[in-house]
Amino acid sequence: QVQLVESGGGLVQAGGSLRLSCAASGRTFSASTWAWFRQAPGKEREFVAAISWSGGNTYYADSVKGRFTIPEDNAENTVYLQMNSLKPEDTAVYYCTARRGGLIRTSFKDYDYWGQGTQVTVSS
């Protein structure tokens, strides 16, 4: 099993920045792909960004491309999500997740491990 714990959420004004962290413990070697999803009230959980350690590549949703980044120089067993130029529509609970497979997937159903989530609120 892999345990994931997110941190770094909070309240920020539009145009501001936040950096989310996801710390993993347990059988972390079994998690080949890490991702961030988000869920706003009344909406489905949606893909935000992912990084594949085996492939060394990242992938972003169109809605965050150019604003959000998963740094390549993450600390051991930690993944970050750097969020810049935040918009009110970015307001959601952000979840860290991981899957055993090495390919990046954008459906939440393809992920095996989940954190509890961290709230991000962007005020206008």
Side-chain angles (χ1 to χ4, degrees):
Q1 279 285 23
V2 176
Q3 293 77 44
L4 303 173
V5 179
E6 305 95 335
S7 62
L11 174 63
V12 64
Q13 288 189 331
S17 298
L18 282 175
R19 188 176 79 159
L20 305 183
S21 299
C22 174
S25 60
R27 301 170 62 88
T28 57
F29 58 86
S30 66
S32 296
T33 301
W34 292 35
W36 291 91
F37 281 71
R38 66 186 181 186
Q39 188 166 19
K43 295 187 176 181
E44 287 192 353
R45 193 167 295 190
E46 66 171 353
F47 173 83
V48 175
I51 184 167
S52 170
W53 301 119
S54 59
N57 58 306
T58 54
Y59 185 74
Y60 300 91
D62 288 342
S63 58
V64 306
K65 199 171 296 182
R67 300 188 298 122
F68 291 11
T69 304
I70 296 179
E72 293 184 3
D73 57 340
N74 296 281
E76 186 175 359
N77 293 332
T78 302
V79 170
Y80 303 102
L81 181 67
Q82 179 65 43
M83 305 187 295
N84 299 327
S85 302
L86 283 161
K87 305 176 181 179
E89 51 263 43
D90 293 320
T91 295
V93 176
Y94 283 71
Y95 296 91
C96 176
T97 183
R99 64 187 303 268
R100 292 184 287 269
L103 296 178
I104 291 176
R105 303 292 189 195
T106 59
S107 171
F108 68 90
K109 298 177 182 179
D110 291 319
Y111 287 80
D112 305 300
Y113 311 108
W114 290 87
Q116 294 299 308
T118 185
Q119 176 71 46
V120 172
T121 303
V122 184
S123 63
S124 57

